[in-house]
Amino acid sequence: MPKNFFSLYAYQFTLGDFNYLSSETLLNIILGAADESTSHYFNAERTVNEIFENEVFHGKHFANILKREKLNDFLQQYIFNFNNTADRASILSYMKAPSILYTYPRKMAIKDKQKITEVSIIEVTTLFSKTRGFEVIRERVVLKSPMFMNKNN
């Protein structure tokens, strides 16, 4: 589905802390903000391997099964409602979050009768360094959920 599918929730998803979806240790960094020791670590130029090694030893486990289940329940209900709406255009399609945190196109790329059968959430880790600039250093699926087609599943 296109990035704008959850545009009504874009602000919450952008500011949200989804560390609880990953079972791996993670550095406690949200939107570039970190605690003092993590911030101090990044004062020096680091290789990607050094960063990942540091994350294994100094990262924390944030996994939370209850939060994960609640997010999955939300996704199931949201997608179920979308899949079972005859007319895709509604008043809600015109209510958008402010365009301050994202710049992607907002056109719906899902054809009229298509149904969503699966949702994957991809964790993207980025890094900005003085020598290499901005780069994506990791992408991994942290939630893959088949969507139920009826309420009884």
Side-chain angles (χ1 to χ4, degrees):
M1 71 184 83
K3 292 178 182 179
N4 70 328
F5 184 79
F6 288 104
S7 63
L8 293 173
Y9 298 94
Y11 188 75
Q12 290 83 357
F13 284 168
T14 302
L15 295 181
D17 175 3
F18 291 97
N19 286 348
Y20 63 86
L21 292 175
S22 179
S23 59
E24 307 293 325
T25 57
L26 298 169
L27 294 174
N28 192 15
I29 302 172
I30 300 170
L31 291 173
D35 60 23
E36 188 176 347
S37 64
T38 304
S39 179
H40 181 63
Y41 174 78
F42 283 103
N43 283 341
E45 191 78 17
R46 308 284 181 181
T47 68
V48 173
N49 286 338
E50 287 176 316
I51 292 168
F52 288 150
E53 286 174 13
N54 183 57
E55 185 174 55
V56 168
F57 292 111
H58 299 290
K60 297 177 184 172
H61 285 279
F62 295 96
N64 185 317
I65 293 173
L66 291 176
K67 283 185 175 182
R68 185 183 183 96
E69 287 174 1
K70 285 183 187 261
L71 177 63
N72 192 50
D73 288 346
F74 166 77
L75 292 171
Q76 292 291 336
Q77 185 65 54
Y78 193 93
I79 301 301
F80 177 82
N81 291 344
F82 175 84
N83 282 341
N84 290 293
T85 301
D87 183 14
R88 298 283 194 242
S90 70
I91 188 66
L92 291 179
S93 64
Y94 299 103
M95 296 169 57
K96 305 285 186 196
S99 299
I100 54 174
L101 296 174
Y102 53 86
T103 58
Y104 53 80
R106 293 184 177 191
K107 291 184 179 178
M108 182 64 80
I110 297 174
K111 303 263 189 282
D112 187 36
K113 299 292 182 189
Q114 283 182 305
K115 296 200 183 256
I116 298 167
T117 59
E118 181 178 86
V119 170
S120 296
I121 297 178
I122 301 168
E123 173 191 86
V124 178
T125 305
T126 60
L127 174 69
F128 179 83
S129 71
K130 291 178 183 176
T131 58
R132 295 187 312 269
F134 176 81
E135 59 186 321
V136 174
I137 60 173
R138 175 175 57 208
E139 287 187 47
R140 60 184 173 193
V141 175
V142 292
L143 178 74
K144 192 171 201 170
S145 180
M147 294 294 113
F148 300 128
M149 293 298 125
N150 62 53
K151 287 276 196 179
N152 297 326
N153 290 350

